[in-house]
Amino acid sequence: MQISSPAFANQEAIPPIYTCDGDGINPPLEISDVPAEAQSLVLIVDDPDAPNGTFDHWLLWNINPTITEIPEGTTPAEAVAGTNSARKTGYIPPCPPEGVHHYRFMLSALNKLLTLEPGADRDELEEAIKNAVIARAELVGLYSPEYPRG
């Protein structure tokens, strides 16, 4: 399974439009090679470099495993959103205070649909998927307030 973005390559800079320095919308994502037995997908976007520990930017589950893309600024219609570290549902854009931060777009294929309530947090999501993951993929984007604005 793979996750990528036409907006940035793995381990390269996230364009400012997808950060707090721009429109703050989620970047476009492409998904491929999902196992045929997958019943749903989970997307977790986080920043392990945040000053107070890992910051969750986006939690989505029950994404249809047949989708091949998540266009910029959208959430898949059937996906359920969890509560991020800003205590909101939805995408929170990268906005590091200083230095280069690594934003991990972590995709998991599950052998089931989740019955988790909308707004669940990262711990609840991790517990729910614990024995259901059949494949994983990761895309890492970088961002820093010192990057040139464009």
Side-chain angles (χ1 to χ4, degrees), residues 1-81:
M1 186 167 71
Q2 295 184 14
I3 183 170
S4 60
S5 177
F8 62 95
N10 190 44
Q11 297 290 336
E12 292 194 0
I14 297 171
I17 188 174
Y18 306 114
T19 74
C20 66
D21 292 315
D23 293 344
I25 59 175
N26 64 278
L29 299 171
E30 296 176 345
I31 299 167
S32 60
D33 302 323
V34 174
E37 64 271 22
Q39 298 297 305
S40 67
L41 301 174
V42 170
L43 179 66
I44 297 173
V45 181
D46 72 11
D47 171 11
D49 304 316
N52 296 320
T54 300
F55 187 97
D56 298 320
H57 284 261
W58 204 15
L59 305 174
L60 291 177
W61 59 88
N62 289 350
I63 301 168
N64 187 321
T66 64
I67 72 165
T68 57
E69 68 176 346
I70 299 173
E72 71 177 18
T74 69
T75 299
E78 66 285 342
V80 180

Side-chain angles (χ1 to χ4, degrees), residues 76-146:
E78 66 285 342
V80 180
T83 301
N84 56 41
S85 293
R87 294 185 170 81
K88 297 179 181 180
T89 57
Y91 176 77
I92 295 291
C95 198
E98 61 184 9
V100 176
H101 286 229
H102 298 76
Y103 296 88
R104 302 182 298 188
F105 292 75
M106 299 174 289
L107 186 69
S108 298
L110 306 184
N111 61 8
K112 66 179 185 178
L113 280 169
L114 297 179
T115 57
L116 206 53
E117 291 291 320
D121 66 18
R122 171 87 176 256
D123 289 341
E124 293 169 307
L125 178 56
E126 294 280 2
E127 181 64 27
I129 70 173
K130 191 165 45 177
N131 297 311
V133 177
I134 56 176
R136 293 186 191 268
E138 184 174 287
L139 168 67
V140 177
L142 309 177
Y143 198 68
S144 167
E146 290 84 32

